[in-house]
């Protein structure tokens, strides 16, 4: 993080940021339009609006605001990143990479308001420079009086009470700007961003999710989940054990056995999350996985985006898994309708597009023996097929949000397995969730 700037905390302050942004972008559009007309060109409004200068304005202003702006960027990237104009994709990338940290005085105020003015007495050392940042908060490193190292997640001030107005204002800006492709229905994304932000803004809720994952994995020597320090946590502050692992990407040059072990453990974890627990960590950011080289354990971070799946959803998704493994089009389409991919109002041909997407996503499941992820680009292929479904078929209905977040989970997992050049027998890993009568014939990976 390279910039320190006070996060606007009042609704008026945050709205004025968007007003300044809109004014600056209109000014930039007029300037670009005059430049193009002077050259004898007749530019489209979208081309004038999404100039490099305006892209920088938008990314910089939204990164200052964080909150809803960041969440909208994440959700748009998750479902529509393959079909956005290149300039808007660049904006969303800048949002993920650029962060503004709170100044020291604002950090202290958040701690005062959440833990009381005596919070300093609990710490031997507190590092005011954050080690990480996200859409609604930043993380600091500290040492307790007893010598235990902790990570402290602090919520940006004003984020929770400004969620609804931020979502409304950012949505209005995106709709009026002409930056989104025709046919994209933004309302489900706005509703989901609002829902997700309200959940993530409640750090007591995240602490409970963290405790649940900790309980699920406490006896599993392959993983480490940080413990919660309850007496130093609140609705806007979350204090947990600090983990010293290295980035998961640091294992990509280790011998294949260690890479495959880590990849297998993460894949088995994903199956357990979806089908055993109904509790899925859906943020695929590589930064949420650390690797302890001394023990080979994988350390898991950030459970704010964890989503629950009820029993019926898990049953339906397991039916879809079995149908894809059986390589049976009729079973796949029936299960896809149960899950929510299809309904009676779908246009002709849409079912074929869904079928192709599901076949691509589950190709490793139908491969006899190890699937070599280092030689595949499944995440990109899935993105291209979503692009075709959204644009060429001119159809923009999205699957239910819990499925959309599973797309995010699966795409992120495939990218990580590709990065690790993993070779895994996915059918064997999926065996506990497959009905023996519904498996594909060996070698049938169509």
């Amino acid at each position: 993080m390279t910039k320190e700037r006070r996060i606007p905390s009042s609704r008026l302050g945050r709205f004025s940021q968007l007003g300044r942004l809109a004014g600056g972008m209109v000014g930039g559009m007029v300037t670009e339009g005059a430049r193009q007309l002077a050259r004898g060109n007749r530019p489209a409004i979208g081309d004038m609006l999404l100039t490099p200068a305006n892209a920088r304005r938008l990314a910089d202003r939204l990164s200052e605001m964080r909150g809803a702006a960041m969440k909208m960027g994440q959700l748009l990237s998750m479902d529509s990143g393959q079909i956005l104009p290149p300039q808007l994709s660049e904006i969303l990338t800048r949002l993920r990479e650029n962060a503004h940290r709170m100044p020291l005085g604002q950090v202290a105020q958040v701690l005062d308001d959440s833990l009381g003015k005596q919070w300093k007495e609990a710490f031997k050392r507190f590092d005011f420079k954050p080690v990480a940042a996200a859409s609604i908060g930043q993380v600091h490193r500290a040492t307790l009086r007893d010598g235990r190292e902790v990570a402290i997640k602090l919520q940006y001030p004003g984020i929770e009470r400004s969620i609804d107005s931020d979502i409304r204002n950012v949505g209005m800006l995106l709709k009026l700007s002409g930056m989104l492709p025709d046919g994209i229905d933004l309302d489900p994304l706005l509703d989901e961003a609002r829902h997700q932000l309200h959940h993530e803004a409640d750090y007591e809720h995240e602490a409970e999710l963290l405790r649940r994952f900790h309980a699920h994995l406490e006896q599993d020597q392959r993983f480490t989940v940080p413990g919660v320090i309850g007496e130093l946590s609140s609705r806007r502050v979350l204090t947990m054990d600090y983990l010293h692992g290295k980035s998961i990407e640091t294992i990509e040059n280790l011998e294949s056995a260690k890479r495959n072990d880590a990849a297998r453990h993460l894949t088995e974890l994903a199956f357990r999350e979806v089908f055993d627990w109904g509790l899925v960590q859906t943020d695929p950011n590589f930064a949420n996985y650390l690797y302890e080289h001394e023990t080979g354990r994988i350390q898991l971070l950030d459970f704010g985006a964890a989503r629950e799946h009820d029993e019926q959803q898990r049953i339906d998704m397991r039916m879809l898994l079995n149908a894809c493994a059986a390589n049976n089009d009729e079973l796949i389409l029936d299960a896809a309708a149960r899950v929510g991919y299809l309904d009676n109002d779908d246009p002709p041909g849409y079912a074929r597009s869904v079928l192709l997407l599901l076949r691509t996503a589950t190709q490793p499941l139908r491969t006899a023996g190890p699937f070599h992820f280092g030689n595949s680009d499944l995440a990109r292929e899935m993105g291209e097929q979503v692009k075709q479904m959204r644009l060429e078929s001119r159809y923009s209905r999205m699957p239910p949000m819990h499925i959309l977040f599973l797309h995010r989970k699966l795409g992120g997992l495939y990218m990580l397995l590709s990065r690790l050049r993993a070779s895994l027998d996915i059918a064997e890993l999926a065996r506990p969730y497959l009905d023996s009568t519904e498996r594909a014939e060996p070698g049938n990976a169509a």
Side-chain angles (χ1 to χ4, degrees), residues 40 77 97 171 204 226 238 247 270 278 297 316 322 358 367 397:
S77 296
E97 294 176 350
E204 291 174 340
L238 177 57
S247 167
R297 297 181 76 160
D316 292 341
N322 276 272
L358 293 172
T367 298
R397 181 177 67 81

Side-chain angles (χ1 to χ4, degrees), residues 41-52:
N41 301 325
R42 298 178 63 85
I45 291 178
D47 294 334
M48 292 188 294
L49 184 65
L50 284 172
T51 63

Side-chain angles (χ1 to χ4, degrees), residues 28 38 50 54 79 83 88-89 115 135 158 217 226 246 282 286 289 302 308 333 382 410:
L50 284 172
N54 270 352
D79 181 63
I83 64 173
L88 187 51
S89 294
L115 301 180
S135 58
L217 293 169
K246 304 297 183 183
T282 63
F286 289 2
Y289 305 100
D302 197 347
E308 296 190 67
L333 291 175
M382 292 164 60
L410 184 61

Side-chain angles (χ1 to χ4, degrees), residues 59-333:
D60 290 344
R61 190 68 67 210
L62 296 186
S63 66
E64 288 175 29
M65 292 180 63
R66 318 297 283 174
M70 293 292 294
K71 186 56 58 179
M72 284 304 300
Q74 291 172 7
L75 292 173
L76 283 168
S77 296
M78 178 175 65
D79 181 63
S80 308
Q82 298 291 331
I83 64 173
L84 294 175
Q87 302 96 320
L88 187 51
S89 294
E90 177 188 349
I91 290 169
L92 300 180
T93 298
R94 286 168 62 90
L95 275 178
R96 289 191 294 270
E97 294 176 350
N98 294 349
H100 291 271
R101 65 178 185 263
M102 290 185 286
L104 185 150
Q106 201 168 32
V107 170
Q109 187 62 54
V110 171
L111 289 164
D112 286 350
D113 293 343
S114 299
L115 301 180
K117 295 185 180 298
Q118 296 77 33
W119 63 267
K120 302 181 189 67
E121 298 175 4
F123 299 99
K124 181 185 299 183
R125 179 186 61 82
F126 187 98
D127 190 347
F128 277 91
K129 183 178 180 180
V131 296
S135 58
I136 63 172
Q138 62 189 41
V139 180
H140 295 256
R141 186 174 177 178
T143 304
L144 301 181
R145 290 292 179 187
D146 62 9
R148 185 167 30 160
E149 288 188 278
V150 294
I152 306 174
K153 190 173 180 178
L154 303 181
Q155 187 174 131
Y156 300 127
I159 288 291
E160 187 174 20
R161 65 175 178 269
S162 66
I163 288 173
D164 291 343
S165 58
D166 268 10
I167 292 292
R168 211 165 34 244
N169 294 334
V170 172
M172 180 177 62
L173 176 67
L174 289 173
K175 287 179 178 179
L176 296 179
S177 69
M179 290 184 290
L180 295 175
D182 292 339
I184 291 295
D185 183 4
L186 195 61
D187 288 337
L189 289 173
L190 293 174
D191 290 341
E192 180 56 33
R194 182 181 298 108
H195 170 81
Q196 189 71 17
L197 271 171
H198 277 294
H199 272 290
E200 292 188 29
D202 182 356
Y203 283 180
E204 291 174 340
H205 175 67
E206 182 176 349
E208 180 57 29
L209 292 172
L210 188 54
R211 292 186 182 100
R212 288 173 63 184
F213 271 93
H214 191 280
H216 282 309
L217 293 169
E218 190 173 13
Q219 303 303 319
D220 193 328
Q221 296 302 307
R222 300 172 300 174
F223 299 100
T224 301
V225 177
V228 175
I229 315 299
E231 62 271 22
L232 292 174
S233 298
S234 69
R235 189 174 178 86
R236 296 184 179 86
V237 174
L238 177 57
T239 303
M240 66 204 102
D241 296 326
Y242 186 89
L243 302 181
H244 290 270
K246 304 297 183 183
S247 167
I248 193 70
E249 294 110 309
T250 60
I251 70 174
E252 64 180 311
N253 293 319
L254 297 181
E255 57 268 31
S256 61
K258 290 187 177 180
R259 287 186 280 109
N260 284 331
D261 281 347
R264 184 172 60 256
H265 298 161
L266 287 169
T267 304
E268 289 177 343
L269 175 63
F271 277 121
R272 294 182 70 190
E273 288 179 61
V274 175
F275 297 110
D276 291 338
W277 308 336
L279 183 64
V280 184
Q281 201 281 59
T282 63
D283 186 350
N285 191 331
F286 289 2
N288 291 335
Y289 305 100
L290 303 178
Y291 187 77
E292 193 173 39
H293 285 261
E294 295 78 11
T295 65
R297 297 181 76 160
I298 297 171
Q299 300 173 341
L300 307 175
L301 305 176
D302 197 347
F303 296 90
R307 296 179 69 88
E308 296 190 67
H309 298 265
D310 63 35
E311 184 178 2
Q312 187 59 53
Q313 289 172 340
R314 289 155 61 192
I315 291 172
D316 292 341
M317 289 186 292
R318 185 164 174 168
M319 288 181 62
L320 182 58
L321 180 76
N322 276 272
C324 290
N327 201 24
N328 184 306
D329 289 356
E330 184 178 353
L331 291 177
I332 293 173
L333 291 175

Side-chain angles (χ1 to χ4, degrees), residues 3-76:
K3 298 179 181 178
E4 180 179 282
R5 188 166 297 180
R6 188 173 183 85
I7 309 296
S9 58
S10 69
R11 293 181 183 179
L12 180 60
R14 297 177 71 80
F15 182 76
S16 68
Q17 292 275 28
L18 287 175
R20 288 167 53 200
L21 169 62
M25 291 184 70
V26 169
M29 183 179 71
V30 171
T31 301
E32 180 64 18
R35 183 182 296 114
Q36 294 290 340
L37 289 172
R39 295 175 180 171
N41 301 325
R42 298 178 63 85
I45 291 178
D47 294 334
M48 292 188 294
L49 184 65
L50 284 172
T51 63
N54 270 352
R56 287 193 297 273
R57 287 187 183 96
L58 182 58
D60 290 344
R61 190 68 67 210
L62 296 186
S63 66
E64 288 175 29
M65 292 180 63
R66 318 297 283 174
M70 293 292 294
K71 186 56 58 179
M72 284 304 300
Q74 291 172 7
L75 292 173
L76 283 168

Side-chain angles (χ1 to χ4, degrees), residues 320-321 324 341 354-366 371 373 378-379 381-382 385 406-407 410-411 414 426 446:
L320 182 58
L321 180 76
C324 290
Y341 280 101
V354 169
L355 184 63
L356 178 60
L357 176 63
L358 293 172
R359 281 182 167 278
T360 300
T362 56
Q363 181 183 344
L365 183 64
R366 294 184 302 279
F371 185 87
F373 285 91
L378 285 176
E381 290 178 29
M382 292 164 60
Q385 288 168 12
L406 283 182
H407 286 190
L410 184 61
Y414 280 171
I426 298 298

